[in-house]
Amino acid sequence: MTLPAHAGLDAIVSDPAGAVIGLDYDGTLSPIVPDPAAARVHPGVPGVLAALAPLVRAVVIVTGRPPRTALALGEVSGGPSLADVPGLVILGHYGLERWEDGRLTAPPPPPGLDFVRARLPELTAGLDGVWIEDKDRAVAVHTRRCADPAGALEALRGPVAALAGEAGLVVEPGRMVLELRPAGMDKGRALSAFLAERTARSVMFVGDDLGDLAAFGAVETAGIPGVRVCSGSTEVTALAERADVVVDGPDGVVALLGDLVTRMGKPSATRRA
């Protein structure tokens, strides 16, 4: 694809050494599939990130998944994997866990999750197709496999919110999913802290779902040139309305990143210092 005209993109291309490239995982680096455990990375992602990472200040994946799950799903048969991307940082569970240089750091999980694990099966009984995903530091209720996914999701919103309140957790809505997780961290806070840590001079964030709106907000308030990119879908339109650039799902994300690499490779682009 051809990069659109945008001041944030121009800043990233002219000074890649100061740029932080932030990326969601599901729906951005991998397609949305009925079984989240099968959401393997787009085959073009590890290679394009491996080419991009040495040119920029940092590549960071900010996801609701545990970092090790993203790494396991980030393996491509016969090719590079996410773990092969030089300097990659993964901020999992919305920033509560961090994977970097092969090391995982995280606080202890909140006790309210055990209460949720015990109550959710009863709460979802009778809704055929509902699947409960235990993410260690969060629990997600998926309705994509239901005969009426949207209807099942709507029926669960109130009861799940009440359960989260009892457990001292918050609910993160998404594409046919309600996730119960600890309060106090979101993708925006995680991205803002990372930008400050790396003294970024520009930023791009690419996402696809409602949880990525907070990261878009971090781009808007960072005080540096930035660009918000939506990995577009028909299920979520709120991101497209806030985005500077909209691409066609993970295919479009790979094409956009590949074009960035090409533009940065021109003699006028500054190499990473």
Side-chain angles (χ1 to χ4, degrees), residues 90-110:
I90 302 178
L91 302 178
H93 286 302
Y94 303 89
L96 288 174
E97 288 190 350
R98 178 172 180 145
W99 180 91
E100 185 175 8
D101 295 329
R103 297 188 303 273
L104 183 69
T105 55

Side-chain angles (χ1 to χ4, degrees), residues 125-214:
L127 289 172
D128 292 340
V130 169
W131 180 57
I132 299 171
E133 179 188 10
D134 194 330
K135 302 168 75 171
D136 186 32
R137 295 174 187 277
V139 181
V141 182
H142 297 267
T143 65
R144 190 171 294 277
R145 299 175 183 174
C146 296
D148 178 10
L153 191 74
E154 198 57 38
L156 286 169
R157 283 189 193 277
V160 167
L163 178 61
E166 287 185 69
L169 303 174
V170 296
V171 178
E172 185 75 45
R175 296 170 67 174
M176 303 307 156
V177 61
L178 298 170
E179 182 172 311
L180 298 89
R181 63 176 181 83
M185 182 58 77
D186 59 34
K187 291 185 179 183
R189 295 179 185 183
L191 181 61
S192 293
F194 190 78
L195 293 175
E197 171 195 314
R198 296 300 173 100
T199 58
R201 295 191 292 270
S202 62
V203 58
M204 169 190 285
F205 188 82
V206 190
D208 80 305
D209 209 345
L210 296 175
D212 299 312
L213 286 171

Side-chain angles (χ1 to χ4, degrees), residues 41-135:
V41 72
H42 184 291
V45 163
V48 75
L49 291 186
L52 178 65
L55 302 175
V56 299
R57 175 135 307 180
V59 174
V60 58
I61 295 173
V62 189
T63 175
R65 287 187 182 266
R68 294 201 185 281
T69 300
L71 287 167
L73 292 171
E75 297 176 350
V76 176
S77 178
S81 68
L82 288 180
D84 297 321
V85 176
L88 177 68
V89 177
I90 302 178
L91 302 178
H93 286 302
Y94 303 89
L96 288 174
E97 288 190 350
R98 178 172 180 145
W99 180 91
E100 185 175 8
D101 295 329
R103 297 188 303 273
L104 183 69
T105 55
L113 286 172
D114 287 334
F115 176 74
V116 163
R117 291 184 182 102
R119 293 281 301 278
L120 269 179
E122 177 185 349
L123 196 68
T124 58
L127 289 172
D128 292 340
V130 169
W131 180 57
I132 299 171
E133 179 188 10
D134 194 330
K135 302 168 75 171

Side-chain angles (χ1 to χ4, degrees), residues 206-265:
V206 190
D208 80 305
D209 209 345
L210 296 175
D212 299 312
L213 286 171
F216 274 18
V219 172
E220 294 162 0
T221 59
I224 56 177
V227 57
R228 303 157 299 178
V229 180
C230 173
S231 175
S233 75
T234 58
E235 291 181 339
V236 177
T237 60
L239 252 72
E241 294 166 0
R242 286 268 296 276
D244 302 301
V245 179
V246 179
V247 298
D248 186 14
D251 285 338
V253 173
V254 170
L256 174 69
L257 297 178
D259 204 19
L260 267 180
V261 170
T262 299
R263 289 275 301 276
M264 289 176 184

